Every structure is written in C-alpha cells, then in structure tokens.
Amino acid sequence: MKIKYKYFHKTTILSIVLCFLMCGCDKGFDELNVNKTAATSVNPVFILNNATINTSFPTGTILYEIGIVQQMISPNSGVLAGANYNQDIRDNTQQNWQRYYRSVIRNTYDVISKTKSLPARSNLYNMARILQSYSFLVLTDSYGDIPYSEAGKGYTDQLVSPKYDSQQTVYAGIIKELTEATAALDASKTIETADVLYGGNISLWKKFGNSVLLRAGMRLTKIDATQAQSIVQKAFQSGIMEANSDNAFIKHDANYLNALGQTLNSTESSNIYLGAPFVTFLQQTNDPRLKSIALRYVGAKSGIEQTSARATTDPTQQIGMPFGFDNGSIVTEVTKSKLASFYDYSQVDRTRMAKTTSPMFLVTAAQTQLLLAEAAQRGWITGATVEAFFNKGVKLHMEQMALYDANSAVSASAIEAYQKENPYNASKALEQINTQYWVASFLNGPEAFANFRRSGFPNLAPNPFPGKSIKGTFIRRLTYPNSEISVNSVNVKEAITRMGADDLDAKVWWDK
C-alpha cells in the first residue's frame, strides 16, 4: 500500500497556526480582562458620606476665623501668621475654599446629578441638596461672591472655569434649595440608612435643613429685615433643632481625625493659645464651661515643660493670651502677668475638647435656640419668651460639653447656678444673646466669624497689632486663593470688580 503525503507550504502552516491562536485568545477575552473584584459603580449614598465627613473644618480656621473673633491665638509668624497679625496669608485663608469645593461640593453635585431622575432615591437627592446648601452658605459667608450656579460642573461637565455669582444670587439659591429640599423629604420613601450624618432619619434631616434656613434668614437682618423675618418664620414653623440629639456634627475616630485636634496635638501643640477676651469673659461670669475647655501648664518655660504634672483646669488659674503681640513683644505681657513664658498661657485642653477624635459641630440646637431668642426679641416669632429661648440655648451648649469628652461634662447643678447668677437682661438682649452665640460656636470658626460680623457682638476691642495690614477695625472677609486667581482669573476679576476689592477689609453683601 502506497502512502501519499501532502506537503503544505510553510506560509500556509503559519496561517493555520495563527488562525487557531487568534480564535483561542479571542474566546472569553472580554471576561478575562474584567477585574471581578473592582466596583463598577458606587452607591451614591457613599459619595454623600464622603462629602459629609469633609465638611469638618481644616486647620486654617484656627488661624483666621477663630482668631478674628479672639477665641484662640498664636504669637508666632510664618505658617501660623494670620488674624493675630491682621495679615493676608492666602495659604491659610484658602483652606476652607479648597476643602469644600474639592471634597464637598464636587461630591454633593455628583450625588444630585446621579439621583435627580431616580424617584426611589428622592430622599438621598434632597439630603444632598441640603448639605450642599449648607456648604455654600459657609463659603459665601467667608468669601462673598463665589462659584455657585456652575460649581461642581468641572467634575461632571468639564467646566473648569466657573463663573462667580453675586452673594445676593447665591443666597437666593440657597434659600430656595433649602426650602424645597427640606419640604420634599418623605419618611414613606426609601430611607438611606448608610448616611453617616443621621442614618437617613428624615425627621432629623428636616430639622437640620430648617435650622440652616433659619441661620441664612438671620444673616439678612442688616441687609433686608423684611425678607429675614419671612425666612425665619418659615424655618421656625417647619421645625428646627431643639435638643442636642438633633445636632449636625462630624464624628471622628482613629481612622478619620479631627483636623483641628490633629494640629493642636502635633507640630503646633505648644504654639496656639486661648485668647484673653474669651477666657476673661468666661471668668467674669463664673462660667462652668471654662473648666471644660481650658487647661494651663503652670510655670512652663517651653513646650517640653508642658507636662501633665503642671496641668490645671482650675478656672481661677486660667490666663488667656492677649492679642497684638508677636513672640518677641509678648515677653512684656508675660512679665506683666508674672508668667514663666508664653508657654504658661492657657490652651484648649488637648486631652478632652481638642482630641484628635473629638466631634466637629456644624449646626447645633444651642445655636438654633439662641437665634430664635433674637428672632423673638425682634418680634418675628412667638410660642416662647425671649428669655425661655435664651436660657434653653445656654443650657444646651453647657450640656453639649459632655459630647466632647465625659470629663468635660458640666453638671446640672452648675448649669442651674450659672443661670441664676447670669439671668437674661432685656435691656442688653442682643448683646447677651449674641455673646452667648459666640461661646456656643467655639471651634466652629466660620459660624462665629459670620455671626460676629452680622450682630456686632461680642463687643471686642480691635486687635492692636502694630503695622496691621487692614484699614478697618476687624477683618471682614477672607481672600480668594492664589490658585483661583491664576487659573480662573477672568471670573475672579469680575467678582472682585463687583465686590470692590479682594482684601481683608472688603465687606460681603449682607454685612454692608
């Protein structure tokens, strides 16, 4: 039998092999190249959570807003220069701008875009609108005209040079959003239990939204009292914060640290002190909160000597640092006070109120009740007396001390004794109410700064630092970041032209 062999040209064989290999590789190619453990989409509630935790204020608020209202101070220059020097240091004035636009507004806008057309996620949609409105309120109160109508579109629409809206326009938008979003929350619809602020509790989100609306309304008392009254009445009637369980605050832990506490417990632990006006006011009224807030390392000559053996929380031993001195000229004041050095002044207690895991309060029942006290004093609301609202606000903040640390708690008997010694005085109502608001906003620099400009209280003496760079008595706004000026110059210049100047003296719309 003859066997016949067929021979193929080598190019033919190669073609067959390549065809086989190509067919083999192509089979299941798409499946093989998909990462089966990577997320293909993110539940938008987690995007909202990312926005929420980033509303916690950055370190720069110590150096400017908290310093402007004379609650905390550093005598040092360089990276800590700011309010004490009445100096425009844009690396510090820009911190809240960058934090809020990059990590809050970007994410709230993303959530709003993703959920707007999803009826099943309507509560999440409206929660994002409320948080975004709160964040815009913080930004516009500090800076004036800001990107608003086009803000957030850099992420979704690649609009990287947003226009700046006038503060009046921003306020109109905030008020509209808060009113609509809060009213639209519905407990019969999907509850967003993964929400880190309130666990999706609709009642608490409504109180939050209405309390922010109340804050926005009260901000207009100087510029438009009629509109302010209308907004305040609407917020009050819709239901606002009444107990500390209603508070909007950011929880911190070992994985997500409080930025203020982190700064005060690390590189700047011995460089930032309680301001003399703040300590003196609490001492003069025998306020039990001073024991909860302050700690002094008696006789310390350096940061190294700030040891627990020297520490005292005794209110009578606390001494606040005066404003207007640098780390050279403060020596004269140290001598006058018979201290060992400036390290001997009082600080906020880093082991209690200013821990790295301390909560950051954004909007509280104490603040809300004090605003209602002023609204009642103006005759805008009824239902309780001015005195009742006032006393409730003060008491709530004293009770709030326990939420920082168990060792900061103020006893019920101490609260009662304080309120008997410091009763409401109708002849000094606005001063008394807003000075207490100042205390109740301690560590919330943006809010303390805004209400100080709006109300004119507490009655602080201007910072006397020599050669100050401001023309007026106090800093009135924060300046725009250099990054904005360089990359969005056309829109920034338009805003500056409208506002008058990009400096610390320029007043925002509602402050004129």
Side-chain angles (χ1 to χ4, degrees):
M1 176 177 170
K2 236 185 220 186
I3 300 174
K4 294 185 179 179
Y5 293 94
K6 273 192 174 180
Y7 294 92
F8 296 89
H9 192 275
K10 60 182 179 179
T11 56
T12 305
I13 296 173
L14 180 62
S15 297
I16 294 171
V17 171
L18 287 173
C19 181
F20 173 78
L21 290 174
M22 289 174 69
C23 293
C25 288
D26 185 61
K27 185 178 181 180
F29 179 83
D30 290 340
E31 184 180 352
L32 287 171
N33 284 277
V34 171
N35 185 341
K36 294 182 179 180
T37 62
T40 56
S41 63
V42 178
N43 187 329
V45 71
F46 298 127
I47 302 174
L48 181 65
N49 286 345
N50 194 9
T52 301
I53 62 175
N54 279 292
T55 56
S56 188
F57 303 118
T59 303
T61 60
I62 297 176
L63 306 177
Y64 272 94
E65 294 97 316
I66 296 175
I68 295 167
V69 299
Q70 300 184 4
Q71 292 176 329
M72 293 174 72
I73 177 179
S74 174
N76 298 326
S77 57
V79 296
L80 295 180
N84 183 46
Y85 289 75
N86 287 306
Q87 192 174 3
D88 186 6
I89 307 296
R90 298 195 182 211
D91 283 346
N92 294 328
T93 61
Q94 72 179 357
Q95 287 190 24
N96 231 28
W97 178 285
Q98 293 183 337
R99 165 73 71 86
Y100 271 53
Y101 274 115
R102 293 176 181 178
S103 302
V104 181
I105 302 300
R106 168 188 168 180
N107 287 309
T108 54
Y109 187 83
D110 188 24
V111 175
I112 291 167
S113 298
K114 283 181 165 64
T115 59
K116 187 174 184 178
S117 58
L118 300 177
R121 306 303 293 273
S122 63
N123 281 330
L124 181 59
Y125 167 65
N126 288 300
M127 288 154 55
R129 294 169 73 191
I130 292 170
L131 187 67
Q132 180 165 277
S133 295
Y134 161 79
S135 303
F136 276 130
L137 187 68
V138 172
L139 287 166
T140 191
D141 286 343
S142 293
Y143 298 96
D145 294 5
I146 58 170
Y148 176 72
S149 58
E150 294 182 352
K153 293 186 177 181
Y155 182 58
T156 58
D157 303 346
Q158 289 72 56
L159 198 165
V160 295
S161 298
K163 71 176 183 179
Y164 281 54
D165 295 285
S166 70
Q167 187 176 50
Q168 186 173 5
T169 299
V170 175
Y171 255 79
I174 288 172
I175 291 164
K176 178 177 181 292
E177 282 291 288
L178 287 171
T179 302
E180 292 179 357
T182 304
L185 290 170
D186 188 344
S188 70
K189 296 182 179 179
T190 303
I191 302 301
E192 303 289 345
T193 56
D195 152 46
V196 296
L197 189 61
Y198 288 124
N201 186 304
I202 296 302
S203 175
L204 294 179
W205 268 99
K206 280 181 174 288
K207 289 181 179 182
F208 174 44
N210 288 323
S211 297
V212 177
L213 182 62
L214 170 69
R215 183 178 283 188
M218 290 299 294
R219 211 78 91 214
L220 304 182
T221 52
K222 286 199 295 187
I223 195 73
D224 190 340
T226 301
Q227 186 185 17
Q229 178 178 356
S230 174
I231 295 166
V232 166
Q233 289 173 339
K234 183 179 296 183
F236 177 58
Q237 291 164 2
S238 299
I240 40 72
M241 293 179 177
E242 298 183 83
N244 280 321
S245 55
D246 299 333
N247 292 343
F249 67 97
I250 306 305
K251 305 173 185 70
H252 296 98
D253 56 26
N255 295 312
Y256 183 72
L257 302 178
N258 181 313
L260 273 60
Q262 194 171 12
T263 296
L264 295 171
N265 280 278
S266 56
T267 56
E268 309 305 340
S269 61
S270 58
N271 293 322
I272 299 173
Y273 296 83
L274 289 173
F278 187 62
V279 172
T280 300
F281 172 76
L282 295 175
Q283 285 176 327
Q284 288 175 342
T285 54
N286 197 25
D287 195 316
R289 285 171 290 191
L290 184 57
K291 186 176 177 62
S292 300
I293 294 170
L295 181 143
R296 180 178 159 225
Y297 297 99
V298 179
K301 298 183 182 68
S302 67
I304 295 174
E305 291 190 4
Q306 291 182 334
T307 62
S308 58
R310 295 180 181 274
T312 180
T313 60
D314 182 349
T316 65
Q317 296 296 309
Q318 303 307 318
I319 302 174
M321 181 179 283
F323 278 74
F325 303 92
D326 59 24
N327 55 9
S329 59
I330 193 67
V331 173
T332 302
E333 298 303 305
V334 167
T335 302
K336 287 180 183 177
S337 299
K338 298 180 181 180
L339 301 178
S341 71
F342 77 68
Y343 298 100
D344 200 355
Y345 283 110
S346 298
Q347 297 178 298
V348 59
D349 192 338
R350 304 191 297 266
T351 68
R352 295 180 297 156
M353 198 168 187
K355 295 181 298 187
T356 58
T357 56
S358 290
M360 179 72 74
F361 291 90
L362 308 178
V363 182
T364 67
Q367 293 169 322
T368 301
Q369 293 299 311
L370 288 168
L371 289 178
L372 291 178
E374 181 176 338
Q377 193 276 337
R378 292 175 179 274
W380 292 353
I381 61 171
T382 58
T385 64
V386 181
E387 182 178 10
F389 284 126
F390 174 77
N391 286 336
K392 185 173 182 179
V394 174
K395 182 181 180 183
L396 282 168
H397 188 250
M398 290 189 173
E399 292 173 342
Q400 185 183 315
M401 293 291 100
L403 302 179
Y404 288 101
D405 189 276
N407 292 321
S408 291
V410 179
S411 69
S413 59
I415 297 173
E416 184 179 0
Y418 173 83
Q419 293 193 306
K420 284 182 179 179
E421 291 175 17
N422 300 274
Y424 168 70
N425 184 345
S427 67
K428 296 182 178 179
L430 290 179
E431 179 177 5
Q432 200 173 22
I433 292 166
N434 286 290
T435 300
Q436 284 297 329
Y437 197 91
W438 175 60
V439 178
S441 299
F442 181 61
L443 297 183
N444 184 335
E447 184 57 22
F449 178 41
N451 198 67
F452 170 63
R453 287 173 289 159
R454 178 194 72 83
S455 70
F457 297 112
N459 188 14
L460 300 171
N463 177 357
F465 193 86
K468 62 183 183 180
S469 59
I470 61 172
K471 299 180 182 66
T473 53
F474 288 94
I475 294 171
R476 306 306 295 192
R477 67 176 282 272
L478 302 186
T479 50
Y480 294 129
N482 286 327
S483 57
E484 272 293 290
I485 295 170
S486 62
V487 303
N488 195 13
S489 59
V490 172
N491 290 313
V492 174
K493 287 176 182 176
E494 181 186 4
I496 293 171
T497 300
R498 188 165 54 234
M499 291 176 62
D502 182 27
D503 59 32
L504 302 175
D505 284 295
K507 292 184 176 182
V508 300
W509 165 69
W510 52 255
D511 189 29
K512 295 176 180 177

